[in-house]
Amino acid sequence: MGYLLIGTFLVLLLIGVPIAFVIGIVAFLGIVSIEYIPEMSVPMRMMNELNSFVLLAVPLFILVANLMNQGKISEKLIEFALAIVGSIRGGLAQANVLVSMMFAGVSGASQADTAGVGKILIPSMKRNGYDTETAVGVTAASSTVGVVIPPSIPMIIFAGITNASVGALFLAGIVPGILVSLAMMIFVYIIARKRNFERRERVKASTFFKLMFESLPALLTPIIIIGGIVVGFFTATEAAAVAAVYTLLISMFFYKTLKLSHLPKILFDTLSLSSLSLFALAAAGALGELMGYYQLGMKAQEFFTDNIDAKWIFIIITILFFLFIGTFMDAIPAMILFVPVILPTALQFGFDPVHLGLIVVMTLAIGLVTPPYGLCLLLAAKIGKLPIERSFRAVIPYMTIILVVLGVVAFFPEVAMYFPKLINPDLF
């Protein structure tokens, strides 16, 4: 029966059924075929999987991203980023990476970054002499830091699965996210000099401070979120709620770019995207019940125990496995299904759950730019009107950068953990 379920899973994927429904169908068929498990356990397990206070943060952070885009806050961040790095060779591409860092610190959603930043910067880069491959590649790849730099929706999910500290995961993502972004900016500078991309005149000091003042309310959002969580003022879910209210207020009363008439569409878009992610999570919970019946977690642990005696081999296998899974599955169901399988072995090897979470999230971030599932790649390619094959070739150098930083973080965890432990050692 196990092979039949695997075959069904693959066939449904190949014919284009959304992954959330594939997981749900396979879970239902598998559980129905086992006479000892009642059919009602499927909806019950799905409901129980969503019965989590932490998961309320997911739709709230998606709401923050939608409010930012509708409220034109992303445009303000782009203008400020251009004021900072626009005078460097390849300034538009540099600003693309920098604004992705800023956006990541506000929304925690990479797809929202790709859509919000890409629709402005990709056409602008093309008008200013950049080839379409560079415009699409930089936009898609830089947006992946959205799930690494806090706040991060996948990190919240990982914390819910493993009971790791959300605050610790958020802090641990800061240094790797900055390293990835800086490395991308260095690479952009190198190719900009080779291809003689544009550079803008340095903005006047008065203009710079004006743009900084306009961007400041938006840039305060990550400080409110991370600061509040780290000092224990509120939980990740409460932080998401505060961020949503704060973003709504500054959009309506400071920037004055958001009207009450915009809210129904924003809420509809938020519910649409949230329901897809949360349904995938619920379905993965039901499939987890089936995997538990077949004792896949125990079998995986036995396999690793019998065949792997070195931590570094386990790290490589984990990275390769999630790289493969990320090509056709979203980060949330991938973690729900497979983190419980590898977690016992990871703990046995002495892994800190926060370190493991960072490895898994960074690896799955690469899946956002790898076909056939890579949502950020698909969005950027659609905006730039570039075929997927050429778009994928354009992001390969940036994927290599992420992999290098991932390797450093995986094998030298203090690179990511030293600074957070200084800030708040109680979280670790």
Side-chain angles (χ1 to χ4, degrees):
M1 186 64 189
Y3 292 111
L4 182 59
L5 290 175
I6 293 171
T8 303
F9 184 90
L10 294 174
V11 169
L12 291 174
L13 272 183
L14 289 172
I15 63 175
V17 178
I19 185 65
F21 294 101
V22 173
I23 294 171
I25 291 168
V26 170
F28 181 75
L29 292 177
I31 288 174
V32 165
S33 68
I34 302 169
E35 59 177 305
Y36 303 107
I37 303 179
E39 290 84 351
M40 277 300 296
S41 64
V42 175
M44 288 176 62
R45 180 59 189 267
M46 291 176 74
M47 292 300 296
N48 287 338
E49 202 65 40
L50 298 178
N51 187 22
S52 169
F53 182 67
V54 171
L55 292 181
L56 280 174
V58 175
L60 288 171
F61 277 125
I62 292 173
L63 175 60
V64 170
N66 287 336
L67 286 169
M68 279 189 62
N69 282 333
Q70 183 65 48
K72 312 296 183 185
I73 295 177
S74 53
E75 295 180 16
K76 297 294 182 184
L77 294 179
I78 290 170
E79 290 175 7
F80 184 48
L82 278 170
I84 297 172
V85 297
S87 60
I88 302 173
R89 179 70 64 187
L92 271 172
Q94 300 283 3
N96 201 324
V97 179
L98 183 59
V99 80
S100 290
M101 288 177 63
M102 296 176 181
F103 204 102
V106 178
S107 73
S110 291
Q111 296 94 316
D113 179 4
T114 308
V117 175
K119 69 183 181 183
I120 298 170
L121 282 184
I122 290 177
S124 180
M125 290 174 72
K126 290 168 70 175
R127 285 195 303 270
N128 283 274
Y130 291 80
D131 55 277
T132 308
E133 284 85 352
T134 298
V136 169
V138 172
T139 303
S142 64
S143 63
T144 60
V145 300
V147 297
V148 181
I149 293 177
S152 163
I153 292 173
M155 285 183 179
I156 294 170
I157 301 297
F158 185 91
I161 298 168
T162 62
N163 292 320
S165 165
V166 175
L169 280 164
F170 278 6
L171 285 175
I174 294 173
V175 173
I178 292 173
L179 286 176
V180 168
S181 300
L182 289 177
M184 286 184 181
M185 292 177 79
I186 292 169
F187 177 75
V188 164
Y189 179 74
I190 293 170
I191 63 171
R193 293 200 58 162
K194 286 184 177 180
R195 302 177 188 177
N196 198 33
F197 288 151
E198 50 76 53
R199 61 185 301 176
R200 300 186 169 206
E201 291 185 9
R202 191 181 300 274
V203 298
K204 296 177 181 179
S206 58
T207 305
F208 177 85
F209 286 112
K210 177 178 178 289
L211 290 171
M212 184 174 70
F213 174 75
E214 291 176 350
S215 303
L216 192 59
L219 295 175
L220 285 175
T221 309
I223 297 173
I224 294 170
I225 295 170
I226 308 305
I229 293 173
V230 169
V231 301
F233 190 72
F234 39 58
T235 65
T237 302
E238 291 164 347
V242 170
V245 173
Y246 177 75
T247 306
L248 175 65
L249 291 176
I250 63 173
S251 297
M252 291 186 70
F253 301 110
F254 182 83
Y255 295 113
K256 297 180 180 179
T257 51
L258 190 68
K259 299 178 181 178
L260 286 176
S261 58
H262 295 146
L263 291 182
K265 182 179 185 304
I266 291 171
L267 292 174
F268 178 80
D269 291 344
T270 300
L271 290 172
S272 298
L273 186 55
S274 301
S275 61
L276 185 63
S277 298
L278 293 175
F279 180 77
L281 190 151
L287 189 57
E289 180 86 10
L290 183 65
M291 292 169 68
Y293 175 82
Y294 285 110
Q295 298 181 325
L296 292 186
M298 188 179 297
K299 291 175 181 176
Q301 188 173 359
E302 289 174 358
F303 170 80
F304 284 121
T305 303
D306 294 341
N307 298 282
I308 297 171
D309 56 1
K311 185 177 179 178
W312 67 270
I313 299 177
F314 175 77
I315 291 173
I316 291 173
I317 290 175
T318 300
I319 291 173
L320 291 175
F321 176 74
F322 280 105
L323 278 175
F324 170 70
I325 292 297
T327 61
F328 63 87
M329 189 179 293
D330 187 63
I332 292 175
M335 287 192 293
I336 290 288
L337 288 176
F338 300 111
V339 167
V341 174
I342 66 165
L343 183 62
T345 307
L347 296 176
Q348 188 175 314
F349 275 115
F351 263 97
D352 182 336
V354 174
H355 183 213
L356 178 67
L358 195 54
I359 292 172
V360 171
V361 169
M362 288 188 70
T363 306
L364 289 172
I366 297 172
L368 292 168
V369 289
T370 50
Y373 183 78
L375 289 179
C376 291
L377 181 69
L378 296 176
L379 280 170
K382 183 178 180 181
I383 294 169
K385 299 178 181 178
L386 189 70
I388 292 298
E389 298 80 10
R390 289 171 61 189
S391 300
F392 179 59
R393 284 198 297 271
V395 300
I396 289 175
Y398 303 97
M399 285 173 55
T400 305
I401 289 169
I402 302 172
L403 280 170
V404 170
V405 176
L406 171 60
V408 171
V409 169
F411 292 103
F412 304 99
E414 285 305 306
V415 171
M417 311 288 256
Y418 179 76
F419 177 67
K421 286 178 180 177
L422 283 180
I423 295 177
N424 193 337
D426 294 336
L427 289 175
F428 295 87

